[in-house]
Amino acid sequence: MHTDLAVKAKTTLENFVPVIDKRLAEYFDQEISLDFGFNQRQKSVVREMLLHAKEHNLRPAKRIRASFVYYGYLLGKTKVSDSVWAAAMAAEIVHTALLMHDDFMDRDVIRRGGPTTHKYYAAKTKNPHYGSSMAVDTGDAVLCAGFDLLAEVADKKVVRQMLRAIVNTAHGQAYDITLETLGQWREDDVINLHKAKTAIYTYENPLKIGGMMAGIPEEALKNLHDYAMDGGVAFQLQDDILGIFGTPEKTGKSADSDLLQGKCTMLVLKVFSDGTNGQQDAVRKVWGRLEAQRQDLDNAKQAIVDSGSLKYSNDLARRYAAKAAKTASDLRNLNLNSEAIDYIQGIAEYMVNRKV
């Protein structure tokens, strides 16, 4: 699915990254300059939290959420204001906060090529509980900072869109960790998990924030919802593939953690449902076993390939992406900005071909 729109969207997103990153750096510098605290020791704690949050946020990232705010707004307008840029930044700041929490829950050690927040603080003190506590607290502070930034530039309806989206994302995360704990799930669970987390949080929420700020019609917002449900599923199916078969130097995270943590992915599900006994045993030997050996991990990955599970996930992601692209193309009937439609349609296609 290497269409011209996908290639164009990839280039557009790559060019967007340094622009939003510059603004994010300036935002964190401003927060740091507030120098909050009632004595020097307290100020130093806050300063370190913000310095870590800034470094974490500015690690190499796709910035798809910020771009969706920008191009969601561009659907209805021709010029983007500083308020829209601030809303785009808010989406990325909230994302950083949720990553801090997610990594703590998943016991991940690497995020975007650097230490996860709980590991960063644990290493400083040799105290894992302190690391976990600071990951929760720093994540809470950064989360509310993102909400605060959006509330400064958007009306109540837009702020409530963000808040409700994060509420539902939290419900999706609860479903995710519950499935991992129970260890029993079906294809329907995987798809609905991806809708509750990725589709709402990565696709629908930022697109709607931008679109609502631009005042696009309700019919267009409904289209963005439909697009997001399919595009988000496609995105996450590809993310799960990269979580096992990606290159850590490109993805910025381990290619073993999804297996070690017992993640409920389509890749693992299809081995368990369709693989041979030997292929199922190879995956079960490492799935959810944090101390699994290198050779066993390699055997499990080979079983995912040999069973046809990798091909199934790839094909499924492309079907969802194609459906999302078709939905986006229908926006052309609503007299909206064609440049924005090109990007939104192209991203659906590009995201299932990416390597990061």
Side-chain angles (χ1 to χ4, degrees), residues 34-104:
L34 296 177
D35 199 28
F36 176 79
F38 294 96
N39 62 22
Q40 284 305 123
R41 191 175 192 182
Q42 190 177 74
K43 287 181 178 183
S44 69
V45 171
V46 174
R47 180 178 176 82
E48 183 174 12
M49 288 172 67
L50 290 170
L51 285 170
H52 169 71
K54 177 185 177 182
E55 184 275 329
H56 190 298
N57 178 268
L58 291 175
R59 292 172 188 173
K62 293 181 289 293
R63 303 300 184 203
I64 184 175
R65 296 161 189 83
S67 78
F68 273 156
V69 174
Y70 182 97
Y71 283 97
Y73 181 84
L74 210 61
L75 279 171
K77 303 290 183 179
T78 57
K79 186 177 180 181
V80 175
S81 66
D82 284 342
S83 292
V84 178
W85 279 110
M89 289 158 50
E92 291 295 333
I93 292 165
V94 166
H95 180 48
T96 291
L98 296 191
L99 291 180
M100 291 174 172
H101 289 160
D102 191 66
D103 288 338
F104 157 63

Side-chain angles (χ1 to χ4, degrees), residues 268-284:
V268 171
L269 175 66
K270 295 305 290 184
V271 175
F272 287 167
S273 64
D274 298 345
T276 66
N277 290 337
Q279 290 164 348
Q280 292 180 32
D281 289 344
V283 173
R284 286 197 175 94

Side-chain angles (χ1 to χ4, degrees), residues 229-305:
M229 291 302 105
D230 293 323
V233 170
F235 177 97
Q236 192 57 53
L237 287 168
Q238 177 67 5
D239 223 44
D240 290 344
I241 290 169
L242 293 175
I244 293 179
F245 296 102
T247 304
E249 291 76 20
K250 290 184 178 180
T251 64
K253 56 187 178 182
S254 168
D256 299 326
S257 61
D258 281 5
L259 285 172
L260 297 174
Q261 294 163 6
K263 285 289 183 182
C264 295
T265 64
M266 191 68 71
L267 292 165
V268 171
L269 175 66
K270 295 305 290 184
V271 175
F272 287 167
S273 64
D274 298 345
T276 66
N277 290 337
Q279 290 164 348
Q280 292 180 32
D281 289 344
V283 173
R284 286 197 175 94
K285 193 170 184 179
V286 304
W287 189 66
R289 300 180 184 275
L290 293 174
E291 304 304 320
Q293 300 300 304
R294 175 76 267 149
Q295 185 59 54
D296 292 332
L297 284 162
D298 291 342
N299 291 342
K301 293 181 184 186
Q302 191 61 49
I304 291 172
V305 175

